Amino acid sequence: MLQAALRSGAAHRRAVFEVFARHLPGGRRYGVVAGTGRVLDQLERFRFGDEELTYLREHHVVDDSTLAFLADYRFSGNVYGYREGDVYFPASPIMVVEGTFAEAVLLETVTLSILNHDCAIASAASRMTNAAGKRPIIEMGSRRTHEAAAVAAARAAYIAGFASTSNLMAGHLYGVPTAGTAAHAFTLLHDSERVAFEAQIATLGPETTLLVDTYDVAEAVRTAVALAGPKLGAVRIDSGDLAAAAQEVREQLDALGAFDTRILVTSDLDEYAIAALAAAPVDGYGVGTSLVTGSGVPTAALVYKLVARETAGGKLQPVAKRSVGKPSRGGRKEAYRLLDESGRLETELITTGGRVPEGGIPLLHELVRDGEVVGREPLDAARERHAATVAALPQEALHLGRGYAAIPTEFV
Amino acid sequence: MLQAALRSGAAHRRAVFEVFARHLPGGRRYGVVAGTGRVLDQLERFRFGDEELTYLREHHVVDDSTLAFLADYRFSGNVYGYREGDVYFPASPIMVVEGTFAEAVLLETVTLSILNHDCAIASAASRMTNAAGKRPIIEMGSRRTHEAAAVAAARAAYIAGFASTSNLMAGHLYGVPTAGTAAHAFTLLHDSERVAFEAQIATLGPETTLLVDTYDVAEAVRTAVALAGPKLGAVRIDSGDLAAAAQEVREQLDALGAFDTRILVTSDLDEYAIAALAAAPVDGYGVGTSLVTGSGVPTAALVYKLVARETAGGKLQPVAKRSVGKPSRGGRKEAYRLLDESGRLETELITTGGRVPEGGIPLLHELVRDGEVVGREPLDAARERHAATVAALPQEALHLGRGYAAIPTEFV
């Protein structure tokens, strides 16, 4: 495609691509923007090195003039986007890429890969943190997804309110707080549960979290408190009826005087299971599989579409395909959000032609100017924005059942 | 966990971990082993460098003696596994890792991440290639999953019978054949569909694949054949009722004399949609989202469990947890497959204690010996094995509906 466009000359036309979702899959009521920072990281290092060029040449994937173009490739255009942690709705243009066709079309796959993955994870994570209320959630899903996706998932979950992750690489690369507990293998490794607990307490202190369901839960809790004393940090339950087990363990801990020992539960939790545990004496959750797989929605259905390009006469012209069932709206968009009197989100307003609606909060921010990243921000800014934005959503947005977008998208 | 085990001394006990699935999620009838080669690649380079060690030190994640252990870390044990492309069933020990507890437990996350992802993708891909019969499928899902997962997905899909991938990195790293078609943006970029088609044919020859649903399909097909002649390679339809559209386009192509021009269809295809197109005049499929998300089963539910470890007396002892609903079977396993008289798969036999069943085909092969990779094989060997193994499955294994494992797993 690039090679044909270089040959026809159209590759050098100015072009505008937009990233948006035609719908929110899975009956979700809002989407969460995540991955923007990772797009900027990748865009900065998006080059074709000798190794890639040699592959393309030796396998005759592209011709010599295309190889020459790729060898010099460096994105020199502009990117605008919704801020990370913000929410989005159907048709929200969460990212806008302006450049020549050639330089912008090359970014399609990496941009969509990052945003489709990270937005899907953050959108699921947001439902889980809402369901958990003030109780913290540890992200524990690394083993259930691709080894690199795991790091990105931990980052996205943190934006959407997870307290920490067991993925140390996410701590290293992105500063996500890390946490972890022992596995059953640690208990099984030792000659007895008592010996295992003794080893863990000796190393990590009584404030550690002991896993109590390898053999008999009640006996493990007795042993745990006997060894660590009432200052035992937490126990983890990973099997059985978690609500009933938590109730029994809470009563046992209280009877043993361990009033401050917390109860952490894990075991295939998702937002529904978390919500169902609201009345149980649980102090925190560990979530794995359902987080890293987007809890039923593993990809965000975002597309990257050409919406305007230069004509032979040098003017920027809106373009749109007419494919059955998949229409796109031509023209470079701007996006604004209207709030009601109490400050709650009311309408997502998409405009073309430069009209600025009164009272509308602009949603597109400059991220890249002439190829230079200018819109980077700390991860905690995204996390705080997300919490504030979710707090301002209409109440029905937080219902876990399938539904429609929480606010309407209007086109002006 | 590692730090506590180093302190208790148990970290240096010999240990055996096994990778297996308690069940096949999604009502699948068989699983496909994929990712073994990637596990070997990652295991070879699994080290803790200065950057990682500095992070762990500065954030007080582990103590100095653990840092010293990690700095010297190099897996020195043995790994056995099912061959890539083979099938598996509930409890099949698809990988066995032997080493000290410390060195083997550190490989849990990377091993499971790779196998859970790649086996999920390959298991979905296998259903799609069965549904497609002799028609080739191009893997086109890169934009719908994490940017690194995309490369692994293309590799896994190829093992399970996909013909090619649009992911060039998978071509470069793994030798997967690559293919691609133009996007709607290419047509929209040009002043007319005719100009776009002319540019593509001038660059890639008449044997290229033209995308015909940007505006009006019938008009696009007329234009395509007028420009490329009857030697036009293929047309791609990406919207509408694909069966009806393919029928109309086939009749139109034949009427225009383009009898050999193939029809490629894309648009949210999965194994069910592919099966539903069996009677339509379609020559190939492009599959994206459903492939990279495992078609409803994005992770394979594989676990990595300690099944045996050294006692204080130096003997290897089976161990198993007793958690409610998640029991594990202690002891180092061997796995054999029994075939019926016609050569079809009949039983998956799991043994402990070294018994070798008569006529059983051993399924575990040596992959790593004393830390050195010895079991690497070309990707095409895995692909050929997969095709041969699927051909020998009982017929009902290929039903697309939910069901039970195609053959029973027996324990001896």
Side-chain angles (χ1 to χ4, degrees):
Chain A
M1 183 157 67
L2 172 66
Q3 181 173 314
L6 285 169
R7 180 159 168 159
S8 76
H12 305 295
R13 290 183 167 184
R14 278 182 298 135
V16 182
F17 286 87
E18 288 176 358
V19 176
F20 62 94
R22 293 194 184 96
H23 70 291
L24 301 177
R28 297 287 171 83
R29 291 154 194 263
Y30 63 96
V32 178
V33 178
T36 315
R38 295 212 304 119
V39 170
L40 299 179
D41 292 345
Q42 292 292 338
L43 186 144
E44 266 187 338
R45 67 175 78 122
F46 198 89
R47 301 281 189 286
F48 292 81
D50 286 344
E51 197 183 312
E52 289 87 13
L53 295 169
T54 301
Y55 164 76
L56 295 172
R57 182 184 307 108
E58 291 184 350
H59 289 76
H60 310 289
V61 176
V62 290
D63 64 15
D64 285 347
S65 55
T66 308
L67 286 171
F69 174 85
L70 294 175
D72 289 339
Y73 180 79
R74 193 185 191 303
F75 182 72
S76 68
N78 306 314
V79 180
Y80 305 85
Y82 278 38
R83 287 292 198 194
E84 260 193 299
D86 200 353
V87 297
Y88 69 88
F89 303 96
S92 297
I94 67 168
M95 193 168 280
V96 179
V97 179
E98 300 177 342
T100 66
F101 175 82
E103 64 182 355
V105 79
L106 281 183
L107 297 178
E108 170 171 354
T109 300
V110 68
T111 301
L112 280 183
S113 289
I114 292 172
L115 294 176
N116 268 322
H117 176 266
D118 292 13
C119 291
I121 304 302
S123 297
S126 180
R127 291 160 59 86
M128 295 172 190
T129 50
N130 292 336
K134 293 186 188 307
R135 297 174 179 172
I137 313 181
I138 307 176
E139 189 284 305
M140 294 180 159
S142 292
R143 289 165 298 175
R144 308 300 189 175
T145 188
H146 182 280
E147 65 275 20
V151 187
R155 180 185 183 279
Y158 182 67
I159 290 173
F162 272 47
S164 54
T165 178
S166 62
N167 190 299
L168 290 167
M169 187 58 87
H172 174 38
L173 290 181
Y174 302 120
V176 178
T178 61
T181 75
H184 296 99
F186 180 78
T187 298
L188 294 172
L189 169 69
H190 289 86
D191 292 333
S192 70
E193 191 170 58
R194 170 177 289 270
V195 175
F197 285 1
E198 279 172 347
Q200 189 173 334
I201 294 163
T203 307
L204 299 164
E207 60 273 22
T208 191
T209 299
L210 295 172
L211 175 61
V212 293
D213 73 334
T214 305
Y215 304 114
D216 179 80
V217 174
E219 192 178 322
V221 170
R222 255 193 312 278
T223 306
V225 178
L227 294 172
K231 294 286 181 208
L232 174 63
V235 295
R236 174 161 79 102
I237 309 171
D238 182 50
S239 56
D241 178 330
L242 295 175
Q247 187 62 45
E248 284 181 18
V249 168
R250 182 74 268 159
E251 287 168 13
Q252 192 187 358
L253 286 170
D254 290 349
L256 294 167
F259 302 106
D260 295 333
T261 299
R262 286 166 295 111
I263 297 176
L264 174 68
V265 295
T266 55
S267 189
D268 279 334
L269 295 178
D270 59 14
E271 61 268 46
Y272 305 102
I274 291 170
L277 286 164
V282 163
D283 301 284
Y285 305 95
V287 177
T289 307
S290 70
L291 183 275
V292 298
T293 58
S295 197
V297 184
T299 186
L302 294 163
V303 295
Y304 183 97
K305 293 295 169 191
L306 183 70
V307 297
R309 51 86 180 152
E310 200 176 358
T311 63
K315 276 185 60 179
L316 205 61
Q317 175 178 307
V319 293
K321 67 172 173 173
R322 294 201 296 265
S323 314
V324 182
K326 294 177 173 178
S328 56
R329 287 170 195 270
R332 163 77 158 86
K333 320 285 188 310
E334 283 291 344
Y336 300 90
R337 194 163 287 155
L338 303 180
L339 308 183
D340 70 9
E341 290 162 5
S342 64
R344 286 197 182 273
L345 276 64
E346 196 171 57
T347 305
E348 192 90 336
L349 207 65
I350 316 291
T351 71
T352 51
R355 276 159 294 195
V356 178
E358 194 181 342
I361 299 163
L363 300 174
L364 283 167
H365 297 265
E366 194 176 28
L367 299 175
V368 177
R369 186 191 306 151
D370 299 335
E372 295 300 320
V373 173
V374 297
R376 205 169 254 126
E377 60 175 10
L379 198 61
D380 277 315
R383 180 177 161 88
E384 286 159 23
R385 176 179 302 112
H386 182 70
T389 307
V390 166
L393 281 170
Q395 206 176 43
E396 61 269 27
L398 306 190
H399 287 194
L400 293 180
R402 293 177 70 94
Y404 298 97
I407 64 170
T409 304
E410 292 181 7
F411 293 86
V412 177
Chain B
M1 184 159 63
L2 173 64
Q3 180 172 313
L6 285 169
R7 181 158 166 159
S8 77
H12 305 297
R13 290 182 168 187
R14 277 183 298 134
V16 182
F17 286 87
E18 287 177 357
V19 176
F20 62 94
R22 292 193 185 95
H23 69 292
L24 301 177
R28 297 287 172 80
R29 292 156 193 263
Y30 63 96
V32 179
V33 178
T36 316
R38 296 210 307 116
V39 169
L40 299 180
D41 292 344
Q42 292 292 337
L43 185 144
E44 266 188 336
R45 66 175 78 124
F46 198 90
R47 302 282 190 284
F48 292 81
D50 286 344
E51 198 183 311
E52 289 85 14
L53 294 170
T54 301
Y55 164 75
L56 295 173
R57 183 184 307 109
E58 290 184 351
H59 288 76
H60 309 290
V61 176
V62 290
D63 64 16
D64 286 347
S65 57
T66 308
L67 286 170
F69 174 85
L70 294 175
D72 290 338
Y73 180 78
R74 195 184 189 306
F75 181 72
S76 68
N78 306 315
V79 179
Y80 304 86
Y82 278 38
R83 287 291 196 193
E84 260 192 299
D86 200 353
V87 298
Y88 68 89
F89 302 95
S92 296
I94 66 168
M95 193 169 281
V96 178
V97 179
E98 300 176 340
T100 67
F101 175 82
E103 65 181 354
V105 78
L106 280 183
L107 296 178
E108 170 171 354
T109 300
V110 69
T111 301
L112 280 183
S113 289
I114 292 172
L115 295 176
N116 268 320
H117 176 267
D118 292 13
C119 291
I121 305 302
S123 297
S126 180
R127 291 160 59 84
M128 296 173 191
T129 50
N130 291 338
K134 291 185 188 310
R135 297 172 179 175
I137 313 182
I138 308 177
E139 189 285 306
M140 295 180 157
S142 292
R143 291 166 298 177
R144 310 300 190 175
T145 187
H146 182 279
E147 67 275 21
V151 186
R155 180 185 183 279
Y158 182 67
I159 290 173
F162 273 46
S164 54
T165 178
S166 63
N167 189 300
L168 290 167
M169 187 58 85
H172 173 36
L173 290 182
Y174 302 118
V176 179
T178 63
T181 76
H184 296 100
F186 180 78
T187 299
L188 295 171
L189 169 68
H190 290 86
D191 293 334
S192 70
E193 192 170 58
R194 171 177 290 268
V195 175
F197 286 1
E198 281 173 347
Q200 188 173 333
I201 294 163
T203 306
L204 299 164
E207 60 275 19
T208 190
T209 300
L210 295 172
L211 175 61
V212 292
D213 74 334
T214 305
Y215 305 114
D216 179 80
V217 173
E219 194 179 319
V221 171
R222 257 193 311 277
T223 307
V225 177
L227 294 172
K231 296 285 183 211
L232 174 63
V235 296
R236 173 162 78 101
I237 310 171
D238 181 51
S239 55
D241 178 329
L242 296 175
Q247 187 62 44
E248 283 181 18
V249 168
R250 181 73 269 157
E251 287 167 13
Q252 193 186 358
L253 286 169
D254 289 349
L256 294 166
F259 301 105
D260 294 333
T261 300
R262 286 166 294 112
I263 297 176
L264 174 68
V265 294
T266 55
S267 191
D268 279 335
L269 296 178
D270 60 13
E271 61 268 46
Y272 304 101
I274 291 170
L277 287 164
V282 163
D283 302 285
Y285 305 95
V287 177
T289 307
S290 71
L291 183 273
V292 298
T293 58
S295 199
V297 183
T299 187
L302 294 163
V303 294
Y304 184 97
K305 294 295 169 191
L306 183 69
V307 297
R309 48 89 181 153
E310 198 177 358
T311 61
K315 278 187 56 180
L316 204 61
Q317 175 179 307
V319 293
K321 67 174 174 172
R322 292 200 296 264
S323 313
V324 183
K326 293 178 174 177
S328 57
R329 287 172 196 269
R332 163 77 159 86
K333 320 284 187 312
E334 283 291 345
Y336 300 89
R337 195 164 286 156
L338 303 180
L339 307 182
D340 71 10
E341 288 163 8
S342 65
R344 289 199 178 271
L345 278 64
E346 196 170 57
T347 305
E348 192 91 336
L349 206 65
I350 317 291
T351 69
T352 51
R355 276 157 292 195
V356 178
E358 194 181 344
I361 299 164
L363 301 174
L364 283 167
H365 297 265
E366 193 175 30
L367 300 175
V368 178
R369 185 191 307 150
D370 299 334
E372 296 301 319
V373 173
V374 296
R376 205 169 253 124
E377 61 175 9
L379 199 60
D380 277 313
R383 181 177 160 86
E384 286 158 25
R385 176 178 301 116
H386 182 69
T389 307
V390 166
L393 281 170
Q395 206 177 42
E396 62 268 27
L398 306 189
H399 287 194
L400 292 179
R402 294 177 68 94
Y404 298 97
I407 63 170
T409 304
E410 292 181 6
F411 293 86
V412 176

